Amino acid sequence: MKKLLGLALAAAMLFMLCSIVPSMAAITVRLNIDEISLKNASDGKVTDLPKEGELGQLKTHVQAGGTKIFFNGWYAPPKPLADAGLQTDDGDITWGLGKNDGTGNIIAKWVGFDENGPWTLRISGSIPVQEGKHTFKVVVKFTDNTTSVIHSAEYLNNDDAAPVVYKNYSGSIVTNPETCLGKPSMWLGHTNTNIRWQVAFNTDVSFSAINFPQAWAYAQSPFQVTIARDGHFDDGIVFVTDIVRPSDGAFRIDLGKTLPAGQYVMKFKLTDETKTPEGRYQRYLVLGHAENMLDSSYCLHNLAGVSPVFEIVSTDNGQGFIPREIVTRINVDGATAGGTDLGKTDGATTEIPAGTTSMSFNGWVSSNFAIESFGYSIDGGDVVYDSSFRVEEEDHDNILQVARNTFGFPENADAYRLRTEGGIPLSDGLHTVDIMARINGKDVRVFTFKVKTTEQEATPTEIKSADGGNIGKVWLRSGAPNDIDSLKILFKTDKAFTRFGIPIYWASNPPAHGDSKANIEVSLFKFDKDLATTLKGSPVASAKFLENTGDNNMGADINVTGTGAKLTNYGDTKQGFSLTLDEAAPAGQYVIVIRNDAGNGSYLVLPSFAADQSTYGTDCIKYFYNSNEESFEEAVAFSLLLVDEGDFAALDKDSGGTENPTTGNVLAAFAVTVTLALAAAVVFRKRIFG
């Protein structure tokens, strides 16, 4: 009687705690385990064994006289029972252990079953312990001849280390597939929507099996189970199996190998999508909850937000379940600095041009936790977060779906497009740029670029005052009244230069007309304050050259070595001359002086064009003549060879003949004096320039 009252009281408490929904009563079950123990041949108890989880290592107890595993409990199934038995592994079942002890109908009624019929069975009996590693099972048979394993547990009877079962729950397991004790169960199938679910967890122990101590299933419901490393579902699948649940009851998945400690995602999928006339999936699997579950920081279920009860089986000592770690995945669409592609390899070093001041990044980042913001860190310094880096709307849903499907992230994962648009500053040298994300309150590195600035090989560039020049108006005559005997060209460059060139010239020819030979002087000065001050500097480079052929041959072979410079023909022709400096003149403002002081009857004609036809106008180049320092209306065509890509630059303010602009200190002046003996007749030819 006392035992009957205990059973009645237990059933009454379950009834009060659990909300029974009539439409689902067909899958409601009860398994109450009163005792699992190891007994000797005389039925004396050697030791109690765990009612939940694995039975452990039994060898020492067997050595103390234990010979058989004893089970005692009762089971209330969803349909009439015929018998119950015990089984080792998949061997023969010892039937005849189920009986109705007179309390079945009362308990069945209290837990919501039809009170008519022998529903509840007392199960009591034992099965011999075997040597080695085995699984102890409790099996029931229904009146329709179907069977179900309602309890299973592994044991060892050898020298191996005993398995340790780590649970994601504590306390009693909810035994109703409906909402009970405020913990929602996890349904797969049955409804008209969900045939997939997943749970993410992290563990500090290796494991070889997973137990599900509470489950309900439609008869012969098939499922596929996949286990992958969290955030690496595309390339990190470590286990796949197909299982069929014959009916309700706990079950176990043996992995056939030992998986290392780490973070995993376990996915279940219903593989039979047959539906009822009402549109529901006919097959289903339901996993229960316990009174106390680890929260989502340990085990995250993608649907209910709380994991179902399960256990990992290990031989390691540890905590078992540990807090989940942040996992990120990044897709680099493009990254550039100084016009250089930085590539898509995490941590790779890329050389970029010296003087590069920023880099840009475009891509998307996903994580198994919420992403709060994006930023960067340079050389391990403080993280700089910029709210504009996280693009809120663009591609968000598509990116998130890719993260879930491809990488196995849970449903509450996060993903955003990341775009810096030149917002990451750089300076010369070797730098490490970490792309950072603020995730779950932590600074997380998601990608690393390494950049190294290098001096790029110079590209010599010739720049020209104009694209052409017509002869006629720039005549340097010596001795004639009001004639021009000197030309000054004021200019400025943004790069150093090594050569000044006149592409074509014409000169007097004494053998033909009895004219005097032209005496030509070419000088280069660094501009200082004003033109007059500049020209007071003494030339530090000079050279002389005597030519007798004149215009008959369009100039002679010129190869004069001066001081600090050399005078040669312009290009491959004899039509012009070039002043090549021994050392490049730094970028800045300069004056070139071309003078003819040979005497009466000599002249030098330079290629000219209208000043207003110049590409640069007087902003970058000005022309002066004689001592009056007045600007020419006609400009001279000339060129400069820069050491690298560059151009003429705007002259300093108020630069001119008699003004006094502030331009800096006087630098060394380069000068070359060249005496050209050129013959009489003037031959006008169209100059070739460029």
Side-chain angles (χ1 to χ4, degrees):
M1 183 63 183
K2 184 176 181 180
K3 189 172 184 179
L4 177 60
L5 290 175
L7 291 173
L9 180 60
M13 291 178 66
L14 286 170
F15 181 79
M16 293 173 63
L17 290 171
C18 302
S19 174
I20 306 298
V21 180
S23 63
M24 299 310 303
I27 65 167
T28 302
V29 298
R30 295 289 185 274
L31 172 63
N32 187 79
I33 300 175
D34 295 325
E35 178 184 343
I36 302 179
S37 62
L38 186 66
K39 292 188 175 184
N40 58 29
S42 302
D43 287 334
K45 183 187 295 186
V46 176
T47 184
D48 285 316
L49 298 177
K51 297 178 183 179
E52 296 179 0
E54 308 305 325
L55 301 183
Q57 177 62 262
L58 305 184
K59 183 174 181 179
T60 58
H61 302 301
V62 171
Q63 291 173 340
T67 61
K68 52 189 174 184
I69 298 173
F70 174 75
F71 179 90
N72 184 39
W74 58 267
Y75 180 61
K79 57 185 178 180
L81 280 168
D83 199 358
L86 302 180
Q87 182 183 27
T88 299
D89 300 326
D90 294 325
D92 293 337
I93 301 173
T94 303
W95 294 108
L97 303 182
K99 62 179 180 178
N100 192 312
D101 61 1
T103 63
N105 291 351
I106 299 174
I107 296 174
K109 180 178 180 180
W110 281 350
V111 298
F113 294 130
D114 187 345
E115 63 180 349
N116 297 316
W119 289 93
T120 304
L121 283 185
R122 166 67 60 183
I123 304 171
S124 183
S126 60
I127 192 169
V129 174
Q130 298 184 24
E131 185 177 355
K133 179 181 178 181
H134 300 282
T135 301
F136 166 76
K137 299 178 182 179
V138 181
V139 187
V140 294
K141 180 189 295 184
F142 302 99
T143 56
D144 60 4
N145 286 325
T146 60
T147 62
S148 176
V149 176
I150 61 173
H151 181 76
S152 65
E154 187 179 272
Y155 69 86
L156 297 175
N157 180 21
N158 55 22
D159 294 327
D160 293 346
V164 182
V165 175
Y166 296 97
K167 306 175 182 179
N168 71 338
Y169 64 95
S170 61
S172 300
I173 297 176
V174 176
T175 56
N176 190 331
E178 298 304 311
T179 299
C180 191
L181 299 178
K183 306 293 185 180
S185 295
M186 186 171 67
W187 286 79
L188 187 65
H190 182 69
T191 65
N192 58 4
T193 55
N194 183 49
I195 61 171
R196 295 177 177 86
W197 54 251
Q198 64 187 30
V199 59
F201 64 94
N202 194 14
T203 177
D204 63 350
V205 296
S206 62
F207 59 101
S208 59
I210 300 177
N211 294 331
F212 294 88
Q214 183 67 62
W216 300 267
Y218 189 92
Q220 305 304 313
S221 293
F223 302 92
Q224 184 180 76
V225 181
T226 305
I227 301 176
R229 293 182 297 119
D230 190 6
H232 297 269
F233 207 80
D234 56 337
D235 60 0
I237 294 178
V238 294
F239 176 78
V240 178
T241 189
D242 293 309
I243 62 174
V244 176
R245 295 299 302 138
S247 61
D248 302 335
F251 66 98
R252 172 193 185 99
I253 299 177
D254 285 304
L255 305 181
K257 56 185 175 181
T258 299
L259 298 181
Q263 190 154 289
Y264 294 91
V265 174
M266 178 169 55
K267 290 190 175 184
F268 274 67
K269 177 186 177 182
L270 175 65
T271 55
D272 183 344
E273 301 183 23
T274 302
K275 290 188 176 182
T276 66
E278 295 77 22
R280 295 175 178 269
Y281 291 103
Q282 185 176 27
R283 312 291 182 179
Y284 59 78
L285 174 67
V286 186
L287 299 181
H289 287 274
E291 293 178 355
N292 298 296
M293 301 288 301
L294 292 177
D295 63 33
S296 61
S297 64
Y298 290 82
C299 297
L300 179 65
H301 174 214
N302 67 309
L303 298 179
V306 180
S307 170
V309 291
F310 69 97
E311 306 161 349
I312 55 176
V313 181
S314 176
T315 56
D316 298 341
N317 292 320
Q319 297 181 52
F321 292 95
I322 59 176
R324 294 166 49 238
E325 298 175 355
I326 296 171
V327 178
T328 60
R329 296 296 292 264
I330 186 170
N331 187 80
V332 179
D333 292 332
T336 60
T340 302
D341 185 355
L342 301 182
K344 300 181 179 181
T345 302
D346 191 12
T349 301
T350 305
E351 292 187 349
I352 60 176
T356 300
T357 59
S358 67
M359 67 165 284
S360 297
F361 174 87
N362 181 33
W364 55 267
V365 178
S366 57
S367 173
N368 57 346
F369 286 86
I371 300 173
E372 301 165 24
S373 183
F374 291 121
Y376 61 88
S377 172
I378 298 177
D379 298 330
D382 293 340
V383 181
V384 179
Y385 286 107
D386 190 322
S387 59
S388 69
F389 287 0
R390 192 179 83 169
V391 183
E392 293 290 339
E393 300 299 332
E394 185 178 339
D395 295 337
H396 179 267
D397 292 342
N398 292 335
I399 293 170
L400 186 56
Q401 196 59 46
V402 170
R404 291 168 178 168
N405 295 341
T406 304
F407 304 140
F409 284 143
E411 291 298 310
N412 62 343
D414 213 354
Y416 286 97
R417 180 161 293 282
L418 165 60
R419 182 180 294 116
T420 66
E421 296 181 343
I424 302 178
L426 294 177
S427 59
D428 285 347
L430 175 63
H431 297 289
T432 298
V433 180
D434 292 321
I435 303 298
M436 305 292 293
R438 186 72 174 171
I439 302 175
N440 202 33
K442 298 179 181 180
D443 296 329
V444 180
R445 184 198 73 86
V446 296
F447 201 83
T448 295
F449 295 98
K450 293 183 179 180
V451 293
K452 180 181 180 181
T453 56
T454 58
E455 293 292 339
Q456 303 298 302
E457 184 177 351
T459 304
T461 303
E462 186 176 41
I463 58 174
K464 305 169 185 178
S465 60
D467 287 334
N470 297 317
I471 62 168
K473 295 187 178 180
V474 183
W475 288 61
L476 303 186
R477 305 170 187 249
S478 181
N482 301 320
D483 273 352
I484 302 169
D485 61 20
S486 66
L487 167 69
K488 296 95 176 175
I489 306 174
L490 174 65
F491 63 90
K492 186 176 182 179
T493 68
D494 61 4
K495 288 290 192 303
F497 63 96
T498 58
R499 188 182 71 197
F500 168 84
I502 295 293
I504 193 170
Y505 68 92
W506 301 268
S508 52
N509 190 329
H513 302 96
D515 299 322
S516 299
K517 296 178 181 180
N519 188 28
I520 307 301
E521 179 183 58
V522 182
S523 304
L524 174 69
F525 295 87
K526 185 70 171 69
F527 187 83
D528 179 28
K529 295 182 180 179
D530 54 44
L531 196 59
T533 303
T534 300
L535 297 180
K536 288 178 181 179
S538 299
V540 294
S542 62
K544 293 184 179 180
F545 177 75
L546 180 65
E547 179 186 344
N548 292 313
T549 56
D551 288 335
N552 289 334
N553 294 318
M554 288 304 295
D557 291 326
I558 306 173
N559 189 9
V560 177
T561 299
T563 302
K566 188 174 184 178
L567 193 69
T568 61
N569 294 103
Y570 182 90
D572 296 329
T573 72
K574 298 179 181 180
Q575 296 179 337
F577 58 84
S578 296
L579 180 68
T580 303
L581 307 178
D582 292 347
E583 295 183 2
Q589 193 157 297
Y590 292 86
V591 175
I592 278 282
V593 179
I594 305 175
R595 183 184 302 276
N596 174 27
D597 58 2
N600 293 336
S602 67
Y603 58 84
L604 174 68
V605 183
L606 299 176
S608 63
F609 59 92
D612 60 3
Q613 296 176 350
S614 170
T615 304
Y616 303 94
T618 58
D619 292 336
C620 303
I621 306 171
K622 289 185 178 181
Y623 301 89
F624 306 90
Y625 66 96
N626 288 351
S627 60
N628 296 328
E629 317 299 351
E630 295 178 2
S631 297
F632 273 110
E633 293 182 0
E634 292 289 329
V636 172
F638 70 94
S639 70
L640 296 175
L641 182 63
L642 306 183
V643 298
D644 202 355
E645 294 181 357
D647 210 336
F648 289 106
L651 294 168
D652 296 339
K653 186 178 181 181
D654 297 328
S655 296
T658 57
E659 299 294 332
N660 293 288
T662 300
T663 59
N665 296 327
V666 178
L667 301 180
F670 297 95
V672 60
T673 302
V674 184
T675 302
L676 301 176
L678 302 177
V682 178
V683 179
F684 297 101
R685 290 188 186 176
K686 181 179 180 182
R687 79 174 258 292
I688 301 174
F689 192 28

